Amino acid sequence: MLVRKLMSCEAFIAGDRTLLRELLHPDKQPIDLRYSLAHATVAPGDTSTPHALRTSEVYYILSGVGEMHIGDEVQQVEPGDAVYIPPNARQFIHNVGTEPLVFLCIVDPAWRVEDEVVFE
C-alpha cells in the first residue's frame, strides 16, 4: 500500500510559478499509474505563468477563489469546481481572493517537463 502524506512531499516552485507538491507520479514511485497528481497553491493576488501542456489536465479546487484562463475563455472558480484543460491549451490561474488558492492537478498522461511550454 502506498500512502503519501502531503506535508512529507517536498514543496517546490513549478515552471508556472505555483507552489507544488507532487503526491503521485509513476516515474517517482513504484506504481502502475497513467496520470500524475499534484497539490498546488497560488498566493493571494498571484497569477501562475501562462503555460500549455501537450497532455490533458484537470484542476480540482479545494479552497480559495480564482479566475481560470484557458485560451480566450475566463471563468471564476471556487471550492468543489473541476476544470478540464485540453491538451495544448494556453492556460493560467489568478488568485482573486484573500486566502491561498489551493487545488489538485491531475495530468494524463503523467506530467513531464518536455510536455510543458511556459510562456514568459
Side-chain angles (χ1 to χ4, degrees), residues 28-84:
K28 298 178 180 162
Q29 289 98 28
I31 53 177
D32 184 19
L33 197 63
R34 274 185 44 94
Y35 60 87
S36 58
L37 174 65
H39 181 275
T41 304
V42 177
D46 281 357
T47 302
S48 65
T49 302
H51 60 289
L53 298 178
R54 285 189 216 161
T55 58
S56 64
E57 185 170 22
V58 171
Y59 285 1
Y60 182 75
I61 310 301
L62 297 172
S63 63
V65 290
E67 214 174 58
M68 187 72 215
H69 297 252
I70 302 174
D72 294 332
E73 296 181 79
V74 180
Q75 189 165 329
Q76 183 139 339
V77 293
E78 60 188 26
D81 289 349
V83 180
Y84 170 72

Side-chain angles (χ1 to χ4, degrees), residues 2-117:
L2 173 66
V3 176
R4 301 269 295 158
K5 303 278 187 198
L6 177 64
M7 297 317 290
S8 67
C9 297
E10 182 181 346
F12 63 97
I13 302 298
D16 69 353
R17 294 187 334 188
T18 59
L19 178 66
L20 216 61
R21 293 178 188 268
E22 280 190 320
L23 289 160
L24 296 173
H25 197 293
D27 293 347
K28 298 178 180 162
Q29 289 98 28
I31 53 177
D32 184 19
L33 197 63
R34 274 185 44 94
Y35 60 87
S36 58
L37 174 65
H39 181 275
T41 304
V42 177
D46 281 357
T47 302
S48 65
T49 302
H51 60 289
L53 298 178
R54 285 189 216 161
T55 58
S56 64
E57 185 170 22
V58 171
Y59 285 1
Y60 182 75
I61 310 301
L62 297 172
S63 63
V65 290
E67 214 174 58
M68 187 72 215
H69 297 252
I70 302 174
D72 294 332
E73 296 181 79
V74 180
Q75 189 165 329
Q76 183 139 339
V77 293
E78 60 188 26
D81 289 349
V83 180
Y84 170 72
I85 305 162
N88 301 306
R90 183 182 174 104
Q91 57 149 310
F92 63 94
I93 194 164
H94 174 64
N95 183 340
V96 297
T98 57
E99 64 181 77
L101 176 60
V102 180
F103 52 99
L104 296 176
C105 306
I106 302 164
V107 179
D108 184 33
W111 180 89
R112 290 187 174 73
V113 69
E114 60 269 18
D115 291 337
E116 182 173 34
V117 175

